[in-house]
Amino acid sequence: MAYAAGLDIGSKSTKLVFLGQDGIAGHYVIPTGANSGKAGEQIMELGLADIQLVPDDIAFLVATGYGRHSVESAKKVSEISCQGKGIRSLFPEAEVIIDIGGQDFKVIKLKKEGTILSFAMNDKCAAGTGRYLELMAGIFDMNLDTFSEAGDTTSDGEEISSVCTVFAETEVINHISRGAEEKEIISGIFTAVSKRVYSLAQRFIGDATSVVFTGGVAMNIGVAKALERVSGCTILTPREPQITAALGAARIAREQISELSGVGRLENTHS
């Protein structure tokens, strides 16, 4: 059987999806670390061993994410296109994608047929990203899983007005010092993140009826609930939000296999 592979090398984590004839054959997530090329090699070795494949079983590999250019054997495709492809395979009616990762966030508007209509990205500031949330969780000496559930999901919480991460940290410490409830401070952090993201997303959402939240931060239930409150929208979240770009890359790889098979030019791209 010929497998398709999608590799998404992000700033914080590297994701891999294998597609076989019957759908997803395996999916994996590891930290990227300091060397994106090495992370790509490690996750491929991990995935191949897990489902007992060899490199020659991979008929086509598509790489995406900021580290995609470190994968010489892969076809390189932008993360915007891969997110669109991956999300539409999970949510066929999706109109808007909000993707919050470790170092940036993106908002993508899809055409009816699923191609990209427009997008915007915040990659100049940590506010509203996974890195921001890591720093805030550190103030409370919590890991991200605990932190995500520590806020009041029905409340906007204490106001965190600063966009700058450093000044926001000072505001949080001031709230702690005056004795504000921990869950209200954390809820305020989630609301601040959501407002920051919604300021970019608002013009894309408009009257959209299907908005999907993806990326690593989509695993944070507090941010997901705050984003619904701030936007006034019902927001859908994939079961595995970290892997949606890798899934899209794998689906593009699957399409390439079909096209090349049709003209008799199928070659292994992971050699």
Side-chain angles (χ1 to χ4, degrees):
M1 180 191 299
Y3 287 83
L7 181 61
D8 173 19
I9 304 178
S11 60
K12 297 293 291 182
S13 61
T14 294
K15 290 77 66 176
L16 172 66
V17 170
F18 290 133
L19 281 183
Q21 291 180 346
D22 299 322
I24 296 176
H27 60 85
Y28 312 90
V29 181
I30 65 170
T32 298
N35 188 323
S36 59
K38 186 175 181 180
E41 293 173 1
Q42 288 177 337
I43 201 168
M44 285 296 298
E45 291 173 2
L46 169 68
L48 290 170
D50 181 61
I51 57 174
Q52 299 181 344
L53 299 180
V54 297
D56 283 346
D57 291 320
I58 308 303
F60 207 96
L61 171 65
V62 169
T64 191
Y66 97 101
R68 64 185 180 274
H69 297 292
S70 66
V71 187
E72 293 182 2
S73 60
K75 176 182 176 68
K76 285 77 171 176
V77 179
S78 78
E79 189 177 352
I80 303 297
S81 296
C82 289
Q83 281 290 13
K85 182 73 70 173
I87 291 297
R88 267 299 176 90
S89 72
L90 299 172
F91 301 97
E93 303 303 318
E95 297 170 82
V96 177
I97 302 168
I98 296 173
D99 172 21
I100 309 181
Q103 302 282 8
D104 63 28
F105 60 84
K106 312 172 189 68
V107 184
I108 305 166
K109 181 79 170 181
L110 300 176
K111 295 179 182 179
K112 186 175 181 179
E113 64 272 21
T115 56
I116 307 301
L117 177 62
S118 58
F119 71 93
M121 179 186 303
N122 170 65
D123 59 357
K124 304 299 183 184
C125 175
T129 68
R131 180 57 180 156
Y132 175 92
L133 290 169
E134 282 184 352
L135 292 170
M136 293 299 167
I139 297 173
F140 296 93
D141 195 25
M142 294 181 185
N143 62 42
L144 285 173
D145 289 339
T146 302
F147 186 63
S148 73
E149 298 179 351
D152 182 350
T153 58
T154 64
S155 166
D156 286 346
E158 298 287 346
E159 184 178 5
I160 311 293
S161 59
S162 298
V163 172
C164 173
T165 302
V166 174
F167 291 142
E169 183 177 13
T170 300
E171 283 191 70
V172 168
I173 292 170
N174 286 340
H175 285 311
I176 294 170
S177 298
R178 68 175 181 79
E181 279 192 81
E182 183 177 273
K183 68 177 182 178
E184 290 298 319
I185 302 171
I186 294 172
S187 182
I189 293 168
F190 297 155
T191 299
V193 168
S194 299
K195 286 181 176 178
R196 172 73 167 153
V197 173
Y198 186 61
S199 68
L200 185 69
Q202 186 172 11
R203 66 186 175 90
F204 292 87
I205 292 176
D207 59 356
T209 58
S210 184
V211 179
V212 179
F213 182 23
T214 194
V217 175
M219 295 187 294
N220 184 310
I221 186 64
V223 173
K225 292 293 186 183
L227 195 53
E228 285 194 326
R229 289 198 308 273
V230 169
S231 68
C233 298
T234 297
I235 295 178
L236 305 170
T237 303
R239 182 176 299 177
E240 301 284 351
Q242 280 186 290
I243 68 166
T244 51
L247 173 60
R251 291 184 68 84
I252 292 170
R254 171 58 65 194
E255 291 170 358
Q256 291 291 311
I257 291 172
S258 298
E259 290 178 11
L260 294 174
S261 296
V263 295
R265 293 192 300 110
L266 181 61
E267 297 176 356
N268 184 283
T269 63
H270 186 66
S271 57

